[in-house]
């Protein structure tokens, strides 16, 4: 069982100190299908919780990725520009999207843990 | 998950689910958008080997002249609704054409095949009810109009498609592009044409619905064949520069604006008795104010339907009508309409992508060479 937290929009968050690494879940990549392009935010940009932060283009459609937490974008996964298929291949690893310096740690309480996310997915079926 | 209880199902529905397809609602049917291998792999497999598509949602219509009159009578009647010349269409030959309205706009696009005593029509799923009503209203007195609802339609597309199918019906190898014939296979009448919607060589096979699954399983058992969903069907046809009804063509676009004048035989270009004939003839003679073009966006981001097309740093000159990722082209590809004075190969453009300008260029269609088998 990992310490990953999840949003209802299928982003995941891993917290290390005041830095949160963010990506999309296995379920999300499966639903999207082949990812062909990822538009990432600029480093240094401040985002509010639930604000549009990135865009994923699958073969079928464009989808928004929302910032799960309020904070400043401190790093983005530049590799996705060259190899967006990593989002499908390894969504919890090399397919990560961005890192945010957390401004409002209390927002973490609103996210689901792995168990809760699994239940959430089961309810979607 | 969407509730699909109200949707219609093709005869291959159970097979799609068994293969792990993701089913989506499309034109009132539950259809496979992709299988577990994914749209990119399906796309590339079709270009390199053979892909099997279920297109049973499309409308198969048989048009027969009443009173035992010959097929040419039905062809003459249908010429009152479409710009193509059909009376001279030889048996076993197909033509692509459009149902037009009084303004020359396109009500639907269709394939017409001359078969013995009748014409076979294949129309779009989303338009078939309206097409049938249109046919009955205008041709009902002179033609019998049968909706062949119990038949399924499979498409086997790709460079290996004909070789694969020849193992079952060797004679199909004799067909040239846009030719059709009927064969009996395992007791069932199959109407097979060398045609398709991918830009590749391939076949479209009309089969009685009750025999469709067995045929599909036979084909999928061939090592070259993979099941392909609607997602790859769309990216394949876009790369091939083929129009999708409701997107690249509709009631507001004419065949001339859409670059489909090739589908109007010469004798019909100066006029005819079909709806909108004067508009279309005058557009052919005097030109159009906008044209459908191929658009290649720079970079990797797909630019989708609806995006505004502008001159670099300048004013809007049109809009994207189809856009996506071309797996074979190796990047984003699009089609759209632009003002005719700018519709030249190499014209630099800007596309609006979520408020950001993406540089693009008008390019020749198709994006990948068509590989039809012409004799």
């Amino acid at each position: 069982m990992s310490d990953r937290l999840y949003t209802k929009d299928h982003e995941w968050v891993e917290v290390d100190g005041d830095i949160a690494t963010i990506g999309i879940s296995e379920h999300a990549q499966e639903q999207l299908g082949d990812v062909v392009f990822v538009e990432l935010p600029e480093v240094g940009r401040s985002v509010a919780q639930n604000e549009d932060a990135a865009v994923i283009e699958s073969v079928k459609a464009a989808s928004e990725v929302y910032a799960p937490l309020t904070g400043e974008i401190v790093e983005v996964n530049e590799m996705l520009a060259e190899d967006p298929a990593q989002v499908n291949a390894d969504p919890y690893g090399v397919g990560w999207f961005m890192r945010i310096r957390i401004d409002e740690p209390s927002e973490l309480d609103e996210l689901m843990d792995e168990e809760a996310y699994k239940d959430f997915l089961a309810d979607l079926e | 998950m969407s509730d699909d209880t109200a949707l219609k199902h093709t005869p291959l529905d159970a097979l799609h689910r068994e293969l792990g397809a993701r089913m989506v609602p499309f034109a009132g049917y539950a259809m496979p958008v992709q299988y577990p291998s994914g749209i990119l792999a399906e796309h590339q497999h079709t270009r390199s080997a053979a892909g099997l598509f279920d297109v049973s949602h499309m409308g198969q219509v048989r048009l027969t002249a009443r009173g035992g009159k010959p097929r040419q009578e039905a062809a003459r009647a249908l010429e009152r609704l479409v710009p193509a010349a059909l009376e001279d269409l030889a048996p076993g030959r197909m033509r692509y054409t459009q149902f037009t309205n009084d303004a020359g706009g396109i009500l639907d696009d269709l394939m017409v095949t001359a078969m013995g005593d009748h014409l076979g029509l294949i129309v779009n799923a989303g338009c078939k009810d309206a097409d049938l009503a249109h046919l009955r209203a205008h041709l009902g007195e002179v033609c019998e109009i049968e909706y062949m609802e119990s038949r399924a339609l499979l498409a086997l597309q790709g460079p290996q498609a004909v070789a694969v199918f020849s193992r079952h019906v060797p004679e199909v190898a004799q067909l040239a592009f846009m030719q059709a014939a009927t064969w009996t296979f395992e007791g069932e009448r199959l109407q097979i044409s060398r045609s398709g919607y991918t830009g590749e060589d391939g076949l479209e096979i009309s089969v009685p619905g009750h025999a469709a699954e067995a045929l599909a399983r036979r084909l999928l058992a061939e090592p070259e064949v993979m099941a392909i969903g609607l997602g790859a069907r769309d990216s394949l046809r876009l790369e091939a520069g083929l129009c999708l009804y409701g997107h690249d063509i509709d009631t507001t676009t004419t065949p001339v604006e859409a670059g489909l004048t090739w589908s109007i035989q010469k004798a019909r270009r100066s006029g005819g008795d079909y709806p909108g004939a004067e508009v279309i003839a005058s557009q052919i003679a005097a030109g159009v104010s906008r044209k459908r073009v191929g658009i290649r966006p720079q970079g990797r981001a797909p630019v989708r339907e609806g995006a505004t097309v502008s001159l670099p740093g300048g004013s809007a000159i049109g809009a994207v009508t189809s856009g996506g990722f071309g797996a074979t082209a190796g990047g984003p590809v699009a089609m759209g309409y632009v003002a005719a004075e700018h519709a030249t190969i190499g014209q630099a453009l800007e596309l609006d992508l979520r408020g950001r300008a993406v540089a693009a260029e008008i390019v020749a269609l198709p994006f990948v060479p068509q590989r039809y088998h012409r004799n």
Side-chain angles (χ1 to χ4, degrees):
Chain A
M1 186 72 57
S2 79
D3 293 333
R4 268 194 303 269
L5 302 171
Y6 297 86
T7 70
K8 288 181 175 165
D9 300 309
H10 310 285
E11 290 95 8
W12 58 261
V13 176
E14 254 174 27
V15 179
D16 181 10
D18 64 344
I19 302 295
T21 302
I22 289 149
I24 66 163
S25 73
E26 177 67 30
H27 172 84
Q29 75 77 18
E30 229 179 77
Q31 290 296 310
L32 289 168
D34 296 317
V35 174
V36 295
F37 179 75
V38 177
E39 188 174 295
L40 294 165
E42 274 176 40
V43 171
R45 183 181 140 192
S46 290
V47 290
Q49 189 180 31
N50 299 326
E51 187 182 331
D52 300 353
V55 179
I56 308 175
E57 295 270 5
S58 74
V59 179
K60 279 177 287 177
S63 316
E64 308 284 351
V65 177
Y66 304 104
L69 303 164
T70 301
E72 183 193 338
I73 308 284
V74 292
E75 193 182 349
V76 297
N77 186 357
E78 304 283 0
M79 199 191 72
L80 295 184
E82 286 306 309
D83 195 4
Q86 291 301 337
V87 176
N88 297 113
D90 190 9
Y92 297 126
V94 292
W96 65 279
F97 276 58
M98 56 197 156
R99 297 202 164 97
I100 291 180
R101 178 169 293 114
I102 302 169
D103 277 356
E104 304 283 348
S106 63
E107 288 171 352
L108 289 167
D109 301 338
E110 300 163 28
L111 304 180
M112 293 175 272
D113 64 14
E114 184 128 7
E115 194 70 44
Y117 182 61
K118 273 187 183 158
D119 292 343
F120 174 71
L121 289 182
D123 286 345
L124 292 181
E125 294 294 321
Chain B
M1 293 293 110
S2 59
D3 172 17
D4 67 359
T5 49
L7 296 172
K8 288 184 266 192
H9 302 278
T10 77
L12 298 186
D13 191 81
L15 177 60
H16 296 314
R17 292 172 200 270
E18 180 186 316
L19 294 171
R22 180 173 306 154
M23 304 297 286
V24 297
F26 182 82
Y29 285 79
M31 295 299 291
V33 67
Q34 66 168 89
Y35 299 88
S37 47
I39 294 173
L40 288 180
E42 292 171 26
H43 178 116
Q44 279 154 342
H45 188 87
T46 304
R47 292 252 185 266
S48 63
L52 182 68
F53 302 73
D54 178 14
V55 286
S56 302
H57 58 314
M58 299 191 80
Q60 302 183 59
V61 181
R62 179 180 285 210
L63 206 63
T64 316
R66 291 191 188 278
K69 291 184 180 153
R71 183 190 72 244
Q72 286 77 359
E73 199 69 25
R76 248 195 305 276
L78 187 55
E79 282 186 353
R80 299 207 308 264
L81 299 181
V82 304
L86 297 171
E87 201 185 336
D88 66 341
L89 190 61
R93 290 295 205 169
M94 305 173 80
R95 269 182 190 157
Y96 169 76
T97 189
Q98 309 83 31
F99 289 122
T100 48
N101 64 21
D102 289 336
I106 300 172
L107 298 169
D108 194 8
D109 61 340
L110 67 153
M111 284 289 189
V112 181
T113 309
M115 295 298 289
D117 65 343
H118 67 274
L119 295 175
L121 278 53
I122 308 278
V123 302
N124 281 300
C127 300
K128 67 186 173 188
D129 293 344
D131 291 342
L132 284 165
H134 186 60
L135 285 166
R136 288 184 178 126
H138 294 276
L139 309 185
E141 283 184 18
V142 287
C143 291
E144 193 186 342
I145 296 145
E146 296 168 86
Y147 173 30
M148 312 299 280
E149 194 167 9
S150 65
R151 292 188 78 85
L153 191 65
L154 308 183
L156 188 66
Q157 300 280 300
Q160 301 298 318
V162 171
V164 165
F165 207 86
S166 300
R167 290 174 204 147
H168 305 283
V169 181
E171 297 87 344
V172 298
Q174 322 274 315
L175 291 173
F177 181 58
M178 297 295 269
Q179 274 187 339
T182 302
W183 286 284
T184 299
F185 176 66
E186 298 192 332
E188 304 292 349
R189 295 293 280 172
L190 307 184
Q191 184 176 318
I192 303 174
S193 62
R194 197 154 191 172
S195 55
Y197 195 47
T198 59
E200 297 296 325
D201 188 14
L203 303 168
E204 291 174 297
I205 305 134
S206 171
V207 50
H210 64 86
E213 186 179 323
L215 178 62
R217 285 185 189 277
R218 292 277 294 253
L219 296 171
L220 288 169
E222 301 282 354
E224 298 92 339
V225 181
M226 182 187 255
I228 312 295
L230 291 183
R233 181 171 161 83
D234 188 52
S235 57
L236 288 160
R237 71 89 199 165
L238 173 54
E239 279 187 341
L242 300 171
C243 291
L244 175 59
Y245 190 79
H247 301 263
D248 308 299
I249 49 175
D250 60 26
T251 53
T252 71
T253 58
T254 71
V256 187
E257 292 169 331
L260 301 174
T261 306
W262 60 266
S263 69
I264 307 174
Q265 283 66 37
K266 293 219 165 48
R268 306 266 291 173
R269 287 184 191 173
S270 52
D273 54 355
Y274 65 93
E278 318 75 49
V279 176
I280 288 170
S282 79
Q283 287 186 342
I284 291 172
V288 288
S289 60
R290 59 176 186 156
K291 287 181 178 171
R292 180 174 64 97
V293 294
I295 299 170
R296 189 80 203 238
Q298 284 179 17
R300 288 186 61 91
V303 178
R304 313 265 180 193
E305 180 177 3
T308 299
V309 178
S310 305
L311 295 174
S315 52
I317 58 164
V320 169
T321 53
S322 277
F325 186 79
T328 308
V333 291
M335 298 196 290
Y337 285 83
V338 299
E341 64 265 35
H342 302 296
T344 46
I345 308 296
Q347 170 69 51
L349 302 172
E350 260 176 24
L351 309 176
D352 178 66
L353 178 69
R354 299 182 280 272
R356 171 164 75 81
V358 171
E361 189 186 332
I362 294 180
V363 297
L365 290 172
F367 294 98
V368 300
Q370 292 167 340
R371 297 196 286 184
Y372 303 135
H373 180 79
R374 299 180 196 272
N375 272 358

